[in-house]
Amino acid sequence: MAHAVARDGETLRFRSRGAFGLARGFGALVPLVFTAVVFAWPLGVLVMRAFDDDDATTLSQSWSRTGALGLLGVTALQAAVSAVAALVVAAPIVWLMSRAKLPGTGLLRVIVTLPFVLPTVVVGVAFRAVFDGPLAFLGVEQGWTSIIAAHTFLNVAVVVRVVSAAWQRVDPRQVAAARALGASPTRAFLDVVAPRLLPAVAAAFALIFLFCSTSYGVVVILGGGTAHTLETEIYLQGIGYARLPDAVALSVLQIGVVLAALAVARLLGSARVPQSGTTSHAERPRGIGWIAVIAVLAWIGVWLVLPIATLVVRSLRPGGHWGLVGYRAMFDDTYGESAVASLRYSVTSAFLATAIAVVVGLLTAATLTRSGGLVARTGAVLAILPLGISAVTLGFGYTLALAELPYEVAASPLIVPCVQALIAIPVVVGVMVPALEQVPPRLRDAAATLGARGPRVFVTVDLRLTAKSLAAAAAFAFVMAIGEFGATTFLARANTTTLPVLIGSLMGRPGADNYAAAMAASVLLVAVSAVVVAAVEFAARTRTGDRRRKRC
C-alpha cells in the first residue's frame, strides 16, 4: 500500500511538472516577444540606420564632426566623479544604518531611499531651487558642480543598500577576535571589515557610474545649456538640429559604452562577499557615541532632506510671497495641456505600464528561477538589459522606428506605457528573483502530490508566499513608470504628455507662473514617490517582524 501511494504521488508530481513545463515554456516566450518588439526593434532600427549608406557618412566622420570622443571623456569623467562623491557622502550613512540601533529606523530608510526613485527632472528642479535659494552664495546654480551634487543625491541609496547589506554579513566574532588580540577599533575595521566590503563598494561604484553616464534630466535642467554629455548631444543632434546621422552615430557609441559599463557592473556585482553564516547586530549608541550619530543625522539632513524641503518651500513661496500660485497654475492650459491633465495621463499610463511590467517581470523571474532553457535565458537577458541602455538612445530609436509606421500606429497612446514598462521590468525582476528563490521546493512538491497542476502550484504556492514582494515590485514599477523622462521626451505628443515631460517644458518657458507650476508639479511627484516608498518599507518591516515571531 505504501509503495502504491508513493507511486501515485510520483505520478502526480510528474504530471504536474509536465503541465507546468508547458506553461513555463509559454511564460518564457512572453518576455522574449515583448522585449524583442518593444526593446530590440527600435535599437535594431537605430543600428541599421547607423550603417545606412544613403546617409553618405561614416561613423568615424560623424564622431569627428560632433566631437564624440570629447563628449565621451566628459561623460565618463562626470560619472566617475559623481560615483566617488556618492561613496564619500554615503560612507557615514552606511555606518549608521549598519551599526547603530535607533528608533525610527523605518523613517530613516524612507529618507535614504526616496531620492533614488525620484524622477531625474524633479531632482534637477529641486537642486535649482537649492542653489538658487539657501546655497545661492556658492554661485553654482547651474553647471557641473550642481550636476554632480544632484547625481550624488540620487545615488546615495545605491551605496547604502549595497554596502550596508555586505557589512551586516560580516561576522562580529571575527572583529571581537581581532580586538582581543590587541587590534585597535580602526585596525580591526581595516583588517577584518574593509576587505569584505570592497567588492560591494566596487559594485556600487560601477552601478552609479552606469546610472550617471546615462543621466539626462539632471543635465538638461542643471546644465544651463553649457554642460553637454553624450545623452544631451543625442537629443540636440536628433531633435534640435535634425542631424539624424550624427545622432545615430552618437547613439551607437553610447550603446557600446553602456554595455561595457553594464558588463563591469554585473561582474563586480556577482563577486561574493565572504560570509560566516552569522549576522552582525546593531547596537544602541552610548555616551559619546551619540555625538557621531547626531553628526550623521545632520549630514543626512543636509544632503537628502534639504533639497526636498527647499522644493516644497519654493512651491509655496515662488515669488517671495507665501501662497498657492504654483498649484493654481497647474490648471492653466493657456500654452497647451495643463499640468493637471498631464498628471491624469501620467497616472493612467503608469498604472498600465505597471500591469505590463509586473506580468512580464514575474514571468521572467519565474523562468530564471525554475528553468534554464535557451529561450528563458534569452528572454531574461533582454528583459534586464533595458536597465543599462540609455533612455535617450531608446527614445531616439523609437523616433526612427515609428517614422516608418502609419500615423495611427505611431500616435497610439499605448506606446508610452509600453516604453515605461520596459524601464520598470528590470526592477520587478530584481525584486522577484530572490523572493521566488526562497520558496521551498518541498511545498511545490506537496501541492503537486495533492493533485495541483503546474499553473495552480505557481499561484497557490509561489505567488501566495511572495505576495508582499510582488506588491513591492509593483509599487516600485509604478514609481519608475510615472517618473520616466528620457525616452518619453521623444515620444510625448499633445495627448500623451507625461508630468515629468511637462515639468521640463515648464522650466524652459519664461514667466514666474510657469516656474511656480513646475515646482508644484515636482512636489506632487515627490509626494507620490514618498508614499510608495513608505508603504514598501512598512510592508518590509511587517514581513521581517512576522519571520521573527515565527522563529520565536
Side-chain angles (χ1 to χ4, degrees), residues 13 43 108 168 174 184 230 249 308 313 325 347 373 493 521 538:
R13 188 182 308 177
L43 290 185
L108 190 59
Q168 290 168 4
Q174 296 180 355
S184 64
L230 283 174
I308 302 300
V313 171
V325 176
V347 172
R493 297 177 183 271
F538 176 78

Side-chain angles (χ1 to χ4, degrees), residues 238-331:
I239 304 300
Y241 299 151
R243 297 172 182 168
L244 296 187
D246 291 343
V248 169
L250 291 173
S251 297
V252 171
L253 179 62
Q254 176 79 316
I255 290 174
V257 172
V258 168
L259 289 178
L262 182 61
V264 173
R266 295 284 294 177
L267 178 64
L268 294 175
S270 64
R272 295 193 175 273
V273 180
Q275 301 182 38
S276 59
T278 60
T279 302
S280 61
H281 300 281
E283 299 178 353
R284 186 174 295 276
R286 299 176 182 175
I288 197 173
W290 279 105
I291 297 178
V293 170
I294 293 173
V296 176
L297 291 176
W299 183 254
I300 293 174
V302 170
W303 277 100
L304 303 182
V305 178
L306 178 62
I308 302 300
T310 304
L311 178 64
V312 173
V313 171
R314 290 296 293 272
S315 72
L316 295 171
R317 200 169 182 265
H321 302 284
W322 295 98
L324 300 176
V325 176
Y327 294 90
R328 287 196 296 268
M330 291 181 61
F331 294 87

Side-chain angles (χ1 to χ4, degrees), residues 57-71:
T57 185
T58 64
L59 287 176
S60 59
Q61 290 174 337
S62 293
W63 289 342
S64 175
R65 183 165 55 245
T66 57
L69 294 182
L71 286 171

Side-chain angles (χ1 to χ4, degrees), residues 22 29 81 106 140 193 202 210 229 290 292 379 459 532 538:
L22 294 175
L29 285 174
V81 173
V140 291
V193 179
L210 175 64
T229 62
W290 279 105
V459 172
V532 171
F538 176 78

Side-chain angles (χ1 to χ4, degrees), residues 325-513:
V325 176
Y327 294 90
R328 287 196 296 268
M330 291 181 61
F331 294 87
D332 185 12
D333 57 358
T334 304
Y335 298 98
E337 195 170 58
S338 67
V340 172
S342 291
L343 177 61
R344 284 196 297 266
Y345 173 75
S346 295
V347 172
T348 303
S349 176
F351 271 121
L352 181 56
T354 300
I356 297 172
V358 167
V359 172
V360 177
L362 181 60
L363 291 174
T364 302
T367 56
L368 276 174
T369 55
R370 303 289 292 274
S371 69
L374 178 61
V375 174
R377 292 187 178 277
T378 304
V381 170
L382 285 176
I384 298 172
L385 199 57
L387 179 66
I389 292 296
S390 157
V392 169
T393 298
L394 183 64
F396 186 63
Y398 264 100
T399 300
L400 298 178
L402 293 177
E404 301 175 357
L405 299 179
Y407 176 80
E408 292 76 11
V409 177
S412 171
L414 294 177
I415 297 293
V416 171
C418 286
V419 175
Q420 291 174 331
L422 192 66
I423 304 299
I425 286 171
V427 177
V428 178
V429 175
V431 173
M432 292 309 299
V433 165
L436 290 173
E437 286 177 340
Q438 293 177 7
V439 176
R442 56 185 174 80
L443 296 181
R444 301 190 186 103
D445 292 340
T449 302
L450 293 173
R453 297 289 183 177
R456 187 176 180 183
V457 171
F458 183 74
V459 172
T460 58
V461 176
D462 294 76
L463 287 187
R464 184 178 179 182
L465 294 179
T466 61
K468 290 185 177 180
S469 295
L470 184 60
F476 279 122
F478 178 81
V479 171
M480 297 289 289
I482 201 171
E484 207 290 317
F485 178 68
T488 51
T489 301
F490 288 82
L491 303 174
R493 297 177 183 271
N495 61 334
T496 59
T497 300
T498 62
L499 195 57
V501 173
L502 183 63
I503 291 173
S505 177
L506 290 172
M507 290 297 292
R509 297 176 186 172
D513 288 347

Side-chain angles (χ1 to χ4, degrees), residues 89-90 92-94 96-97 102 107-113 115 153 156 160 292-308:
V89 171
I93 305 175
V94 170
L96 183 69
M97 302 292 286
L102 300 172
L107 176 60
L108 190 59
R109 288 187 177 276
V110 171
I111 293 174
V112 172
T113 305
F153 169 84
V156 162
V160 174
V293 170
I294 293 173
V296 176
L297 291 176
W299 183 254
I300 293 174
V302 170
W303 277 100
L304 303 182
V305 178
L306 178 62
I308 302 300

